[in-house]
Short mmCIF file of all heavy atoms in Angstrom, two decimals:
data_model
loop_
_atom_site.label_atom_id
_atom_site.label_comp_id
_atom_site.label_asym_id
_atom_site.label_seq_id
_atom_site.Cartn_x
_atom_site.Cartn_y
_atom_site.Cartn_z
N SER W 1 -30.07 -15.96 4.01
CA SER W 1 -30.45 -17.13 4.79
C SER W 1 -29.56 -18.32 4.46
O SER W 1 -28.65 -18.63 5.21
CB SER W 1 -31.93 -17.48 4.55
OG SER W 1 -32.32 -18.56 5.37
N CYS W 2 -29.78 -18.96 3.31
CA CYS W 2 -29.15 -20.26 3.07
C CYS W 2 -27.71 -20.19 2.59
O CYS W 2 -26.94 -21.11 2.76
CB CYS W 2 -29.98 -21.06 2.07
SG CYS W 2 -29.82 -20.50 0.36
N ARG W 3 -27.33 -19.09 1.93
CA ARG W 3 -25.99 -18.92 1.34
C ARG W 3 -25.71 -19.94 0.24
O ARG W 3 -24.55 -20.16 -0.14
CB ARG W 3 -24.90 -19.02 2.41
CG ARG W 3 -25.05 -18.03 3.55
CD ARG W 3 -24.03 -18.28 4.64
NE ARG W 3 -22.68 -18.04 4.15
CZ ARG W 3 -22.06 -16.86 4.24
NH1 ARG W 3 -22.67 -15.83 4.77
NH2 ARG W 3 -20.84 -16.71 3.78
N MET W 4 -26.75 -20.57 -0.32
CA MET W 4 -26.57 -21.63 -1.32
C MET W 4 -27.44 -21.44 -2.56
O MET W 4 -27.71 -22.37 -3.29
CB MET W 4 -26.87 -22.99 -0.69
CG MET W 4 -25.98 -23.35 0.48
SD MET W 4 -26.46 -24.89 1.30
CE MET W 4 -26.24 -26.08 0.00
N ALA W 5 -27.90 -20.21 -2.81
CA ALA W 5 -28.72 -19.90 -3.98
C ALA W 5 -29.99 -20.75 -4.02
O ALA W 5 -30.41 -21.20 -5.08
CB ALA W 5 -27.91 -20.08 -5.27
N VAL W 6 -30.57 -20.99 -2.84
CA VAL W 6 -31.80 -21.77 -2.75
C VAL W 6 -32.96 -20.95 -2.20
O VAL W 6 -34.08 -21.04 -2.68
CB VAL W 6 -31.58 -23.03 -1.88
CG1 VAL W 6 -32.89 -23.76 -1.66
CG2 VAL W 6 -30.56 -23.96 -2.53
N CYS W 7 -32.67 -20.13 -1.18
CA CYS W 7 -33.76 -19.41 -0.50
C CYS W 7 -34.21 -18.18 -1.26
O CYS W 7 -35.35 -17.74 -1.12
CB CYS W 7 -33.34 -19.04 0.92
SG CYS W 7 -32.11 -17.72 1.00
N GLY W 8 -33.33 -17.56 -2.04
CA GLY W 8 -33.70 -16.36 -2.79
C GLY W 8 -33.69 -15.08 -1.98
O GLY W 8 -34.06 -14.02 -2.49
N SER W 9 -33.24 -15.13 -0.72
CA SER W 9 -33.32 -13.97 0.16
C SER W 9 -32.37 -12.84 -0.21
O SER W 9 -32.68 -11.67 0.01
CB SER W 9 -33.02 -14.38 1.61
OG SER W 9 -33.95 -15.32 2.07
N CYS W 10 -31.19 -13.17 -0.72
CA CYS W 10 -30.14 -12.16 -0.87
C CYS W 10 -30.11 -11.51 -2.24
O CYS W 10 -29.05 -11.10 -2.72
CB CYS W 10 -28.78 -12.75 -0.53
SG CYS W 10 -28.23 -14.08 -1.62
N GLY W 11 -31.27 -11.38 -2.88
CA GLY W 11 -31.32 -10.68 -4.15
C GLY W 11 -31.01 -9.20 -3.97
O GLY W 11 -31.51 -8.56 -3.05
N MET W 12 -30.18 -8.66 -4.84
CA MET W 12 -29.81 -7.24 -4.81
C MET W 12 -29.28 -6.84 -6.18
O MET W 12 -29.09 -7.70 -7.05
CB MET W 12 -28.78 -6.97 -3.71
CG MET W 12 -27.54 -7.82 -3.79
SD MET W 12 -26.53 -7.76 -2.27
CE MET W 12 -27.52 -8.70 -1.11
N VAL W 13 -29.08 -5.57 -6.39
CA VAL W 13 -28.54 -5.10 -7.67
C VAL W 13 -27.06 -4.83 -7.50
O VAL W 13 -26.65 -4.00 -6.68
CB VAL W 13 -29.28 -3.82 -8.13
CG1 VAL W 13 -28.66 -3.29 -9.42
CG2 VAL W 13 -30.76 -4.12 -8.35
N ILE W 14 -26.24 -5.53 -8.28
CA ILE W 14 -24.79 -5.44 -8.17
C ILE W 14 -24.23 -4.88 -9.46
O ILE W 14 -24.37 -5.49 -10.53
CB ILE W 14 -24.19 -6.82 -7.86
CG1 ILE W 14 -24.84 -7.41 -6.60
CG2 ILE W 14 -22.68 -6.74 -7.73
CD1 ILE W 14 -24.51 -8.86 -6.35
N ASN W 15 -23.65 -3.71 -9.37
CA ASN W 15 -23.15 -2.99 -10.55
C ASN W 15 -24.19 -2.95 -11.67
O ASN W 15 -23.90 -3.20 -12.84
CB ASN W 15 -21.84 -3.60 -11.05
CG ASN W 15 -20.64 -3.12 -10.25
OD1 ASN W 15 -20.80 -2.58 -9.15
ND2 ASN W 15 -19.45 -3.31 -10.78
N GLY W 16 -25.44 -2.68 -11.27
CA GLY W 16 -26.51 -2.47 -12.23
C GLY W 16 -27.27 -3.70 -12.65
O GLY W 16 -28.26 -3.59 -13.39
N THR W 17 -26.87 -4.88 -12.19
CA THR W 17 -27.53 -6.12 -12.60
C THR W 17 -28.11 -6.85 -11.39
O THR W 17 -27.38 -7.07 -10.41
CB THR W 17 -26.54 -7.05 -13.32
OG1 THR W 17 -25.99 -6.38 -14.46
CG2 THR W 17 -27.24 -8.32 -13.79
N PRO W 18 -29.38 -7.24 -11.43
CA PRO W 18 -29.96 -8.00 -10.31
C PRO W 18 -29.28 -9.38 -10.20
O PRO W 18 -29.24 -10.13 -11.17
CB PRO W 18 -31.44 -8.14 -10.70
CG PRO W 18 -31.69 -7.04 -11.68
CD PRO W 18 -30.40 -6.90 -12.44
N LYS W 19 -28.76 -9.68 -9.01
CA LYS W 19 -28.07 -10.95 -8.78
C LYS W 19 -28.30 -11.41 -7.34
O LYS W 19 -28.76 -10.64 -6.50
CB LYS W 19 -26.56 -10.81 -9.02
CG LYS W 19 -26.16 -10.51 -10.45
CD LYS W 19 -24.66 -10.49 -10.60
CE LYS W 19 -24.24 -10.29 -12.05
NZ LYS W 19 -22.75 -10.35 -12.22
N LEU W 20 -27.96 -12.66 -7.08
CA LEU W 20 -27.94 -13.17 -5.71
C LEU W 20 -26.57 -12.87 -5.11
O LEU W 20 -25.53 -13.21 -5.69
CB LEU W 20 -28.20 -14.67 -5.68
CG LEU W 20 -29.58 -15.15 -6.14
CD1 LEU W 20 -29.65 -16.68 -6.10
CD2 LEU W 20 -30.69 -14.54 -5.31
N GLY W 21 -26.57 -12.28 -3.92
CA GLY W 21 -25.30 -11.94 -3.29
C GLY W 21 -24.44 -13.15 -2.97
O GLY W 21 -23.22 -13.07 -3.00
N CYS W 22 -25.07 -14.28 -2.69
CA CYS W 22 -24.33 -15.47 -2.28
C CYS W 22 -23.58 -16.15 -3.42
O CYS W 22 -22.64 -16.91 -3.17
CB CYS W 22 -25.26 -16.46 -1.59
SG CYS W 22 -26.50 -17.19 -2.69
N GLU W 23 -24.00 -15.91 -4.65
CA GLU W 23 -23.30 -16.57 -5.77
C GLU W 23 -22.62 -15.55 -6.69
O GLU W 23 -22.30 -15.85 -7.84
CB GLU W 23 -24.27 -17.46 -6.56
CG GLU W 23 -25.40 -16.76 -7.27
CD GLU W 23 -26.18 -17.69 -8.18
OE1 GLU W 23 -25.96 -18.91 -8.13
OE2 GLU W 23 -26.99 -17.18 -8.98
N THR W 24 -22.41 -14.35 -6.16
CA THR W 24 -21.65 -13.31 -6.87
C THR W 24 -20.35 -13.10 -6.12
O THR W 24 -20.35 -12.86 -4.91
CB THR W 24 -22.46 -12.00 -6.90
OG1 THR W 24 -23.71 -12.23 -7.54
CG2 THR W 24 -21.70 -10.93 -7.66
N PHE W 25 -19.22 -13.18 -6.82
CA PHE W 25 -17.92 -13.18 -6.14
C PHE W 25 -17.12 -11.92 -6.43
O PHE W 25 -17.16 -11.37 -7.54
CB PHE W 25 -17.12 -14.42 -6.53
CG PHE W 25 -17.69 -15.69 -5.95
CD1 PHE W 25 -18.69 -16.39 -6.62
CD2 PHE W 25 -17.27 -16.14 -4.71
CE1 PHE W 25 -19.25 -17.54 -6.06
CE2 PHE W 25 -17.82 -17.28 -4.14
CZ PHE W 25 -18.80 -17.98 -4.83
N LEU W 26 -16.39 -11.47 -5.42
CA LEU W 26 -15.58 -10.27 -5.54
C LEU W 26 -14.56 -10.39 -6.67
O LEU W 26 -14.20 -9.41 -7.31
CB LEU W 26 -14.86 -9.98 -4.22
CG LEU W 26 -15.73 -9.63 -3.01
CD1 LEU W 26 -14.84 -9.30 -1.81
CD2 LEU W 26 -16.66 -8.47 -3.31
N ARG W 27 -14.07 -11.60 -6.91
CA ARG W 27 -13.04 -11.80 -7.93
C ARG W 27 -13.52 -11.40 -9.33
O ARG W 27 -12.71 -11.11 -10.22
CB ARG W 27 -12.57 -13.24 -7.95
CG ARG W 27 -13.64 -14.27 -8.24
CD ARG W 27 -13.05 -15.68 -8.32
NE ARG W 27 -14.07 -16.71 -8.51
CZ ARG W 27 -14.60 -17.41 -7.52
NH1 ARG W 27 -14.21 -17.19 -6.27
NH2 ARG W 27 -15.53 -18.33 -7.77
N ASP W 28 -14.85 -11.39 -9.53
CA ASP W 28 -15.38 -11.01 -10.83
C ASP W 28 -15.39 -9.49 -11.04
O ASP W 28 -15.67 -9.03 -12.14
CB ASP W 28 -16.80 -11.55 -10.99
CG ASP W 28 -16.84 -13.07 -11.00
OD1 ASP W 28 -15.87 -13.68 -11.50
OD2 ASP W 28 -17.82 -13.66 -10.48
N TYR W 29 -15.07 -8.73 -9.99
CA TYR W 29 -15.10 -7.27 -10.08
C TYR W 29 -13.76 -6.62 -9.74
O TYR W 29 -13.53 -5.46 -10.09
CB TYR W 29 -16.19 -6.71 -9.13
CG TYR W 29 -17.57 -7.19 -9.48
CD1 TYR W 29 -18.10 -8.34 -8.88
CD2 TYR W 29 -18.35 -6.54 -10.42
CE1 TYR W 29 -19.36 -8.80 -9.21
CE2 TYR W 29 -19.62 -6.99 -10.76
CZ TYR W 29 -20.11 -8.12 -10.14
OH TYR W 29 -21.37 -8.58 -10.48
N TYR W 30 -12.91 -7.35 -9.06
CA TYR W 30 -11.62 -6.80 -8.64
C TYR W 30 -10.78 -6.42 -9.87
O TYR W 30 -10.77 -7.15 -10.86
CB TYR W 30 -10.89 -7.85 -7.80
CG TYR W 30 -9.58 -7.36 -7.23
CD1 TYR W 30 -9.57 -6.56 -6.09
CD2 TYR W 30 -8.38 -7.68 -7.85
CE1 TYR W 30 -8.36 -6.11 -5.57
CE2 TYR W 30 -7.18 -7.22 -7.34
CZ TYR W 30 -7.18 -6.43 -6.20
OH TYR W 30 -5.99 -5.97 -5.69
N PRO W 31 -10.09 -5.28 -9.86
CA PRO W 31 -9.90 -4.35 -8.75
C PRO W 31 -10.88 -3.17 -8.78
O PRO W 31 -10.65 -2.16 -8.12
CB PRO W 31 -8.48 -3.86 -8.99
CG PRO W 31 -8.38 -3.80 -10.48
CD PRO W 31 -9.18 -4.98 -10.99
N GLY W 32 -11.95 -3.28 -9.54
CA GLY W 32 -12.90 -2.18 -9.64
C GLY W 32 -13.75 -2.03 -8.39
O GLY W 32 -13.70 -2.84 -7.46
N THR W 33 -14.53 -0.97 -8.39
CA THR W 33 -15.46 -0.70 -7.29
C THR W 33 -16.75 -1.46 -7.51
O THR W 33 -17.24 -1.57 -8.64
CB THR W 33 -15.76 0.81 -7.18
OG1 THR W 33 -14.54 1.50 -6.88
CG2 THR W 33 -16.79 1.10 -6.11
N VAL W 34 -17.32 -2.01 -6.45
CA VAL W 34 -18.57 -2.75 -6.53
C VAL W 34 -19.68 -1.89 -5.92
O VAL W 34 -19.60 -1.49 -4.76
CB VAL W 34 -18.50 -4.10 -5.78
CG1 VAL W 34 -19.80 -4.88 -5.99
CG2 VAL W 34 -17.31 -4.91 -6.26
#
């Protein structure tokens, strides 16, 4: 929804850790698989 880590809608598990999709960046995982 908000894309600003306010609404809480985009919670998901990313590489085994629960995180918000909107404040998790590809650069923190590149060049690995996400």
